[in-house]
Amino acid sequence: MSIQIAIDGPVGAGKSTIAREAAKRLGFVYMDTGALYRAIAVYCKLADIDSYDEKSVVSILPKVNLDFKIAGGEQLVYVNNRDVTGRLREPEISMAASRISSYGAVRAFLLDLQRDFAAKNNVIMDGRDIGTVVLPDATLKIFLWADPHERAMRRYEELIQKGLSTEFSDVLSDLVKRDAADTNRKHAPLKQAEDAVRMDTTGNTLEQSIEWVIDTIKLNIEGL
């Protein structure tokens, strides 16, 4: 039976970076589930599909083939054999992914893919509803949190490092909107699972947060 670690939390809480590094150090497989929704958002953008048009988004799902590859320790995401990894964190794609992830048919489309992946691997999986919906029986659930202003600054610095032109005020505004959308969506809203361990990363260095997560996993799972 596989070991399944579910890490949830809002945008910019450090989920993906922390989960990826913790998986690497523990010898687990990492899966960024948010990248799945972002990849569909990229496909919609390329196909000129309005992400606000739920019917149109749902209609293209049978045409979408998602795949993951690991290169240089990094997870690459492919849509119909096209590498879209470089576009996944663009602000426009982030907002579109938030809308798309609220559509029940999209969530259902991706649910089996995520569960099948987790069943076959010792996995650390992060997202918004991993512990509440995707892996409700996960071996361990962790909920990461951080102050919105600090989360926005992290995302802003990430975008700048990638050479994307943006303003901090725009990043903060987008983050606040994303939080509201994720928390209030009808299908699988962002919330902490009742049995999750909560961690506030505000003020932490990245290394401190990574070490805390690894220590928590080792404390709760025998044999690691």
Side-chain angles (χ1 to χ4, degrees):
M1 184 176 180
S2 65
I3 298 173
Q4 301 172 3
I5 311 298
I7 300 182
D8 289 313
V11 62
K15 300 184 303 300
S16 297
T17 304
I18 294 169
R20 183 185 298 108
E21 185 61 25
K24 179 181 177 180
R25 297 185 192 183
L26 292 170
F28 279 51
V29 177
Y30 166 67
M31 184 180 195
D32 175 7
T33 63
L36 300 174
Y37 296 97
R38 291 172 180 272
I40 293 177
V42 172
Y43 182 91
C44 288
K45 179 68 174 178
L46 294 173
D48 199 26
I49 299 294
D50 184 356
S51 61
Y52 282 99
D53 186 344
E54 183 173 356
K55 283 188 176 181
S56 294
V57 172
V58 173
S59 72
I60 57 92
L61 293 178
K63 304 176 184 177
V64 178
N65 179 41
L66 298 176
D67 192 20
F68 293 93
K69 295 181 182 179
I70 303 298
E74 294 296 318
Q75 175 181 276
L76 305 180
V77 182
Y78 289 77
V79 177
N80 298 349
N81 298 316
R82 178 173 181 171
D83 184 358
V84 298
T85 310
R87 299 202 57 185
L88 298 182
R89 299 293 171 180
E90 294 175 7
E92 183 180 7
I93 297 302
S94 295
M95 290 304 298
S98 182
R99 287 190 292 273
I100 289 170
S101 68
S102 71
Y103 303 151
V106 175
R107 305 199 72 82
F109 174 73
L110 296 174
L111 185 58
D112 287 343
L113 186 155
Q114 296 170 79
R115 287 179 173 172
D116 183 63
F117 186 88
K120 295 176 180 177
N121 301 278
N122 287 337
V123 65
I124 297 182
M125 188 178 292
D126 75 290
R128 302 292 190 279
D129 63 341
I130 308 305
T132 55
V133 176
V134 179
L135 302 177
D137 298 318
T139 315
L140 175 66
K141 303 173 186 177
I142 296 173
F143 189 87
L144 296 181
W145 177 259
D147 174 79
H149 190 278
E150 182 165 325
R151 287 190 281 127
M153 181 56 69
R154 294 174 184 173
R155 179 53 53 86
Y156 171 74
E157 292 176 348
E158 178 184 341
L159 293 171
I160 292 300
Q161 289 175 0
K162 291 183 176 181
L164 299 174
S165 178
T166 187
E167 297 291 334
F168 173 75
S169 59
D170 293 334
V171 176
L172 178 59
S173 177
D174 286 345
L175 182 142
V176 171
K177 292 177 182 176
R178 180 75 184 270
D179 279 354
D182 289 345
T183 303
N184 297 306
R185 69 191 182 202
K186 181 179 179 181
H187 300 284
L190 167 68
K191 64 178 180 179
Q192 180 178 334
E194 292 183 1
D195 54 345
V197 179
R198 184 182 180 92
M199 175 187 179
D200 189 336
T201 66
T202 304
N204 279 11
T205 65
L206 176 59
E207 184 59 29
Q208 286 174 327
S209 296
I210 293 170
E211 290 180 355
W212 183 93
V213 167
I214 291 175
D215 288 345
T216 299
I217 292 172
K218 288 182 176 179
L219 181 65
N220 285 274
I221 299 178
E222 187 177 350
L224 292 182

